[in-house]
Amino acid sequence: MEPVKVGLLGLGTVGGGTVNVLQRNAEEISRRAGRGIIVSHASARDINKPRICKTDGIQLTENPLDVVTDPEISIVVELIGGDTLARELVLKAIANGKHVVTANKALIAKHGNEIFSAAQKQGVMVAFEAAVAGGIPIIKAIREGLAGNQIEWLAGIINGTGNFILTEMRDKQRDFDSVLAEAQRLGYAEADPTFDVEGIDAAHKLTILASIAFGIPLQFEKVYTEGISKITGEDVDYASELGFTIKHLGLSRRTDKGVELRVHPTLIPKRRLIANVDGVMNAVLVKGDAVGPTLYYGAGAGAEPTASAVVGDIVDVVRVLTSDPENRVPHLAFQPESLSDLPILPIDEVETAYYLRISASDETGVLANITTILADNGISIDSMLQKEHASDKATIIIITHTTIEKNMNEAIAKINALEAVNNDVVRIRLEHLDAD
Ligand code: HSE
């Protein structure tokens, strides 16, 4: 049988990695797919730039439309990133009857509903494993492996750059900017690194995970997003003293009132496996009602780990090229007419535990005032630590039991207003991530 011809949009880190993996593992891949797979056409902004891959036998162009309209090509692989030109090209490829594989999380999180609906009408597949957690096959695991479960919640370290920064700051006392520069050099960081640091990249990925876990439309604009740029060494050390590690988590939980969708720094117990996921590695913890907690771990960024997911998707598409579109795995795991309109909870309604750091004058009654405010707002204290700094200054660390965020906001406003409290209370959310 003739090999399947693939067109690449983008020949950068992931594009180059994809060519290398397809060439190096060609024989194994064709044994798996049932046909050979070759890249026959590729677009790049500058076709004369040095590449990490060989491009012999690949027709190169600087006009991505040449690839999208090439009649020889069955699968278009979109690796240019961004969500303007990429959206246009993907929709054109679909309109031309081509299957699409993409690593573009922003595109899927923001325009996936439109793209999947167009793909469904055309009877083509849009595969996006590489959009979430790089090389970890988490989309396949949730969409297929866990299809018998009601997913209760998921929590993930889904931005390698952020995790790399937090790990280096904790272990080597390195400063934020130098670690970020290294992540950029290694090709982990987004074109705009604030996407990594401020949690936007993680929010894109969480949007996708929540959608396939709970059967809800993609709703990127409803994710509560908080970055890691305000995390200090002091909080990392106090958290550690109390048995916790600070990780930047994406969390989604189905509750009776709706679905939580949030990205923020989070204290998690050091004894959890996921707390030990360091550097650029990613991990996603998924709790299903039948299976219990499951953990998926691997490289979340980089040329070949991401190419591993891209090539896995290409093989998936090749395997079903001749199948009836009705019998394929639905894009968002649930049949499109069965997506639910569960509300997304505003952050005020979210229930979680907290770490509070309070700088106060060391005076009689200060602690009593603080604990009274917490009690008046229905907040129960789990543990506490007090550190003397000067003879008249103290830092009080409080870990609370779970409460509703709006109760905590009210309590913090009252604590900040106490005369003896010197700076605004530092609040970091805390999750136990236990099996219940
Ligand atoms: N910037 C992303 C990260 C790349 O650091 O995880 C993979 O999506």
Side-chain angles (χ1 to χ4, degrees):
M1 215 187 287
E2 281 277 294
V4 175
K5 290 190 176 148
V6 172
L8 289 191
L9 303 174
L11 263 183
T13 306
V14 181
T18 299
V19 171
N20 284 338
V21 171
L22 279 171
Q23 288 175 350
R24 189 174 71 239
N25 298 340
E27 201 189 319
E28 291 280 271
I29 289 169
S30 105
R31 283 172 60 211
R32 289 190 172 106
R35 287 174 75 174
I37 298 171
I38 55 165
V39 176
S40 61
H41 207 163
S43 72
R45 255 188 307 216
D46 173 2
I47 57 172
N48 298 313
K49 216 172 126 179
R51 306 266 154 220
I52 59 168
C53 63
K54 291 204 186 85
T55 53
D56 313 348
I58 304 176
Q59 188 185 342
L60 297 180
T61 174
E62 288 181 2
N63 181 2
L65 278 175
D66 293 345
V67 176
V68 170
T69 53
D70 181 343
E72 297 276 297
I73 280 172
S74 314
I75 305 170
V76 169
V77 180
E78 183 279 305
L79 303 170
I80 58 176
D83 65 318
T84 313
L85 178 62
R87 172 180 164 272
E88 214 178 287
L89 293 167
V90 162
L91 289 172
K92 280 220 165 78
I94 293 169
N96 290 340
K98 307 202 184 296
H99 301 278
V100 172
V101 171
T102 179
N104 191 332
K105 51 254 160 170
L107 177 74
I108 297 298
K110 291 169 75 178
H111 304 294
N113 298 322
E114 176 192 18
I115 289 169
F116 297 142
S117 152
Q120 208 201 338
K121 284 196 195 107
Q122 280 289 340
V124 295
M125 291 175 70
V126 176
F128 51 94
E129 181 68 69
V132 182
I136 307 174
I138 186 66
I139 303 292
K140 193 175 265 292
I142 297 177
R143 207 162 56 172
E144 300 174 47
L146 301 181
N149 287 260
Q150 292 207 39
I151 309 290
E152 295 172 358
W153 54 264
L154 58 86
I157 296 172
I158 45 182
N159 181 268
T161 302
N163 202 42
F164 183 60
I165 293 173
L166 284 178
T167 306
E168 292 286 301
M169 284 175 71
R170 182 196 64 197
D171 294 348
K172 301 185 189 154
Q173 272 76 49
R174 288 181 64 189
D175 72 79
F176 189 91
D177 291 334
S178 84
V179 190
L180 177 59
E182 188 180 343
Q184 287 177 290
R185 259 198 321 279
L186 294 168
Y188 303 146
E190 294 304 297
D192 176 353
T194 58
F195 274 40
D196 296 300
V197 171
E198 298 306 337
I200 299 157
D201 175 76
H204 288 144
K205 294 166 181 167
L206 184 71
T207 302
I208 299 171
L209 289 177
S211 186
I212 61 169
F214 304 120
I216 54 175
L218 296 148
Q219 295 165 81
F220 168 67
E221 65 293 345
K222 296 200 181 144
V223 183
Y224 172 80
T225 306
E226 197 178 296
I228 54 169
S229 48
K230 295 198 191 100
I231 296 296
T232 63
E234 198 181 354
D235 292 315
V236 170
D237 292 345
Y238 288 139
S240 178
E241 202 172 323
L242 289 158
F244 296 91
T245 296
I246 301 179
K247 290 290 182 191
H248 201 196
L249 287 193
L251 278 142
S252 187
R253 182 182 279 123
R254 190 205 318 242
T255 74
D256 293 341
K257 293 182 284 176
V259 175
E260 295 179 0
L261 213 45
R262 49 192 170 106
V263 172
H264 51 69
T266 315
L267 269 77
I268 54 177
K270 278 184 192 173
R271 62 183 180 280
R272 298 271 173 267
L273 271 178
I274 195 170
N276 298 291
V277 171
D278 287 335
V280 76
M281 302 308 276
N282 281 197
V284 184
L285 188 50
V286 184
K287 169 83 191 316
D289 68 333
V291 71
T294 57
L295 181 65
Y296 309 85
Y297 169 86
E304 292 216 357
T306 313
S308 164
V310 169
V311 175
D313 272 351
I314 298 174
V315 170
D316 256 4
V317 173
V318 172
R319 282 174 172 154
V320 297
L321 273 179
T322 53
S323 78
D324 176 357
E326 299 295 312
N327 296 329
R328 294 178 189 149
V329 180
H331 291 113
L332 289 178
F334 292 71
Q335 299 298 335
E337 63 284 0
S338 301
L339 291 184
S340 104
D341 57 0
L342 280 172
I344 306 298
L345 286 182
I347 190 69
D348 264 10
E349 298 297 331
V350 160
E351 211 171 308
T352 183
Y354 294 85
Y355 157 101
L356 305 176
R357 173 163 58 84
I358 304 162
S359 309
S361 306
D362 196 357
E363 292 165 9
T364 312
V366 174
L367 192 54
N369 285 339
I370 293 170
T371 54
T372 303
I373 291 172
L374 291 173
D376 287 350
N377 284 277
I379 299 164
S380 166
I381 293 171
D382 185 352
S383 58
M384 251 180 54
L385 190 67
Q386 179 167 325
K387 302 272 181 187
E388 287 281 334
H389 286 304
S391 55
D392 58 344
K393 294 266 179 279
T395 297
I396 301 159
I397 311 292
I398 298 178
I399 303 284
T400 75
H401 287 292
T402 59
T403 185
I404 297 180
E405 176 118 345
K406 68 176 169 229
N407 294 347
M408 182 51 82
N409 289 341
E410 278 170 27
I412 287 177
K414 289 183 201 152
I415 296 171
N416 282 340
L418 292 174
E419 211 169 302
V421 169
N422 309 128
N423 302 101
D424 280 353
V425 173
V426 172
R427 159 255 304 273
I428 308 176
R429 297 174 188 87
L430 182 153
E431 292 284 338
H432 291 280
L433 303 179
D434 39 23
D436 307 330

